[in-house]
Amino acid sequence: AKDRNADDRFGHSVAFGDGMLAVGAPNKEVDGVVEQQTVTCLKIPSGGNFTLGLRGRKSDPISIHSSLDDIQNAIQGIYGDTNKVHSIPRLDIVADGAWSQSKQDFCSSIRNSFTISFLTPDGGGVSTLKNVSGDIELLDLDERNVINGKITITETRKGTRTLSGSSALGLQSGAVYLFERKKSCRFCPYEWQQSKKFSILDCHQKPEGSEQFGWSVAIHGNTIFVGAPGFRNNTGNIYIFEHKDNGHWACDESLTGNAWKEATPGARFGYSIAINSAKTVLVGAPGYSFSEGRVLVFRQSPSFRMLLSQLIASPTPSQGTFFGHAISLHNNIAIICAPKMMQGREKSTGACFTFHRRAQNQNYVMKQKLVASNVRKFDRFGWSVTMSRDKILVGQLQEYDGQMAARSTVQTITMRCGQQSCSK
């Protein structure tokens, strides 16, 4: 991540889909949101250039035919030693829409725009002064040299970030980073580039410092689901981010424990997430009822809202089993694991269960219990799980005090059937 720090736990969760990669950092410190200002070409000029200035510093002339790289070079200089805007403060510049990827000029189309994110205060220089605000004044736009055109600048998000003083947050509420697969040039190879950072502030909520936002993540199409099992004294929450037609991300709704009448502190709703192509979402709450655990099934309604449709309990309920700790979903088959379930008298050996449904509008029914052949006490079989077609991959932790011998910490289970009816 661009703003990585120690103990962020970046990589605790990861989800991939449609050229996007979401990475959770549930311990990331939240210091407020950064100021964002957007420059837009409202009327296509016949020629000319413009400049942007801040606190006595000014960019190089920016041609209306500039690429995003040209704009960055005109605004940004060497940090701490430049007359360009970049010195006060650090900046991140991103094109809104696809005009930069298609190698268009900035003013080649009406309403082409780019957004400047102000990364100050950043912990150095004037940014350590007491109560320095993240709300930065609007850049000075000088468009006198623009011929028969119109360039505008607007504040698209008021900055609240500050690292010191009474208004500083500094709470470890967590974050999720979005990476997109892009090319830097026409003949360059594809690379993963960070394009967005999400936090609880994007959903207009004040951080409490223990939400663990980003503990789990899932992607379907242009929708990202983010789990925050620490929300409100470990009751838990799921946040849903939707990519809109204007190119911006919006926090559309949250699947709070309020949708589940039995939600209680300690349930850890959002600890795990799984989603399939039908927009069926499974959410694990392994801490429910003294860690007996539950899994909630949400389905998309005709109004495109996610509604609770089923509550799945452990087939062999017992406190402390963490049912729902790990879940996976493929078509109409769900895998739900309880890594601390006992086998006989052996503690925390773990088990997973397969649940099937015949159609998207029907409930899941338990079909099979999965246990590894060589499982031992404290292996915690089912600590993680994933499924693809006819294969299930189950991870486990283990406690082993014997001789140093190779033991597998991953169990692979292949489902086969000797009868034709089994495929149904």
Side-chain angles (χ1 to χ4, degrees):
K2 294 179 180 179
D3 60 347
R4 60 189 178 277
N5 289 312
D7 200 34
D8 284 350
R9 300 189 75 176
F10 176 85
H12 182 276
S13 59
V14 63
F16 175 79
D18 295 337
M20 297 187 295
L21 186 67
V23 183
N27 281 12
K28 181 64 184 176
E29 188 174 84
V30 176
D31 299 306
V33 296
V34 297
E35 172 89 5
Q36 288 186 331
Q37 297 180 18
T38 299
V39 180
T40 305
C41 183
L42 285 183
K43 181 181 178 183
I44 301 176
S46 58
N49 58 69
F50 62 95
T51 61
L52 296 171
L54 177 67
R55 302 174 188 176
R57 298 176 182 268
K58 184 182 291 188
S59 70
D60 292 339
I62 303 172
S63 169
I64 57 102
H65 300 298
S66 293
S67 66
L68 184 63
D69 289 340
D70 295 333
I71 294 171
Q72 289 175 330
N73 291 333
I75 297 176
Q76 297 183 165
I78 301 173
Y79 182 45
D81 185 23
T82 181
N83 290 323
K84 298 181 183 180
V85 178
H86 181 242
S87 180
I88 312 174
R90 292 193 300 136
L91 307 172
D92 187 30
I93 305 172
V94 177
D96 299 323
W99 66 267
S100 67
Q101 298 178 33
S102 58
K103 299 304 176 183
Q104 296 181 28
D105 298 338
F106 168 54
C107 274
S108 59
S109 299
I110 295 177
R111 297 197 176 277
N112 277 355
S113 62
F114 60 89
T115 296
I116 304 173
S117 298
F118 297 76
L119 304 183
T120 293
D122 61 1
V126 297
S127 55
T128 57
L129 294 177
K130 184 176 181 179
N131 288 329
V132 170
S133 174
D135 185 15
I136 297 172
E137 64 270 25
L138 205 62
L139 290 175
D140 297 321
L141 170 64
D142 185 351
E143 56 170 341
R144 288 175 294 179
N145 293 328
V146 174
I147 304 171
N148 299 324
K150 184 63 178 177
I151 311 293
T152 64
I153 183 167
T154 56
E155 183 182 56
T156 46
R157 186 171 70 184
K158 180 179 179 179
T160 61
R161 185 170 188 253
T162 179
L163 303 184
S164 58
S166 59
S167 59
L169 296 175
L171 300 173
Q172 288 184 303
S173 292
V176 169
Y177 296 85
L178 180 66
F179 294 82
E180 295 185 76
R181 194 166 177 260
K182 298 180 178 179
K183 284 184 175 183
S184 301
C185 65
R186 181 178 179 183
F187 299 104
C188 295
Y190 280 101
E191 294 179 340
W192 290 100
Q193 301 176 15
Q194 182 181 323
S195 60
K196 177 69 177 175
K197 174 186 173 182
F198 302 98
S199 76
I200 200 169
L201 291 169
D202 292 304
C203 297
H204 308 290
Q205 293 184 1
K206 185 177 180 180
E208 298 174 356
S210 58
E211 291 87 347
Q212 295 178 317
F213 179 94
W215 186 271
S216 57
V217 289
I219 296 178
H220 172 66
N222 289 327
T223 306
I224 298 177
F225 296 79
V226 179
F231 178 77
R232 291 186 182 171
N233 197 22
N234 291 314
T235 298
N237 199 2
I238 294 285
Y239 296 91
I240 302 176
F241 295 88
E242 197 84 29
H243 193 247
K244 302 299 183 180
D245 292 337
N246 61 6
H248 295 284
W249 288 88
C251 183
D252 271 5
E253 62 175 316
S254 61
L255 303 179
T256 64
N258 295 332
W260 173 27
K261 295 181 180 180
E262 300 177 43
T264 56
R268 304 280 285 166
F269 172 82
Y271 190 97
S272 53
I273 314 172
I275 184 170
N276 71 1
S277 58
K279 275 209 170 182
T280 296
V281 180
L282 269 62
V283 180
Y288 174 76
S289 186
F290 300 97
S291 301
E292 178 184 307
R294 289 289 189 275
V295 172
L296 290 80
V297 181
F298 293 84
R299 287 203 298 261
Q300 191 178 67
S301 69
S303 62
F304 298 100
R305 310 301 289 181
M306 301 304 297
L307 302 179
L308 179 63
S309 64
Q310 185 183 0
L311 184 63
I312 302 177
S314 172
T316 55
S318 179
Q319 293 180 359
T321 60
F322 286 81
F323 179 79
H325 182 280
I327 52 182
S328 185
L329 189 58
H330 180 71
N331 293 333
N332 288 323
I333 301 176
I335 313 298
I336 304 176
C337 297
K340 291 194 175 182
M341 181 169 286
M342 293 179 61
Q343 303 300 330
R345 296 184 178 181
E346 299 292 335
K347 294 181 179 180
S348 296
T349 49
C352 294
F353 300 86
T354 67
F355 290 80
H356 296 230
R357 66 180 182 183
R358 292 183 179 274
Q360 296 175 9
N361 60 350
Q362 295 185 0
N363 286 341
Y364 286 96
V365 178
M366 200 278 281
K367 289 293 185 181
Q368 186 178 358
K369 180 180 179 180
L370 307 177
V371 180
S373 59
N374 62 340
V375 73
R376 303 179 187 179
K377 180 172 64 174
F378 299 123
D379 273 357
R380 285 161 284 183
F381 173 85
W383 191 263
S384 57
V385 66
T386 188
M387 179 182 182
S388 179
R389 296 184 180 180
D390 67 339
K391 288 185 172 57
I392 302 172
L393 195 65
V394 183
Q396 67 182 42
L397 302 178
Q398 59 181 328
E399 182 174 293
Y400 183 58
D401 297 323
Q403 297 180 352
M404 295 298 292
R407 289 185 59 202
S408 173
T409 57
V410 175
Q411 304 286 344
T412 304
I413 299 173
T414 302
M415 297 188 299
R416 295 187 176 88
C417 184
Q419 301 177 9
Q420 294 181 354
S421 60
C422 289
S423 61
K424 301 179 182 179

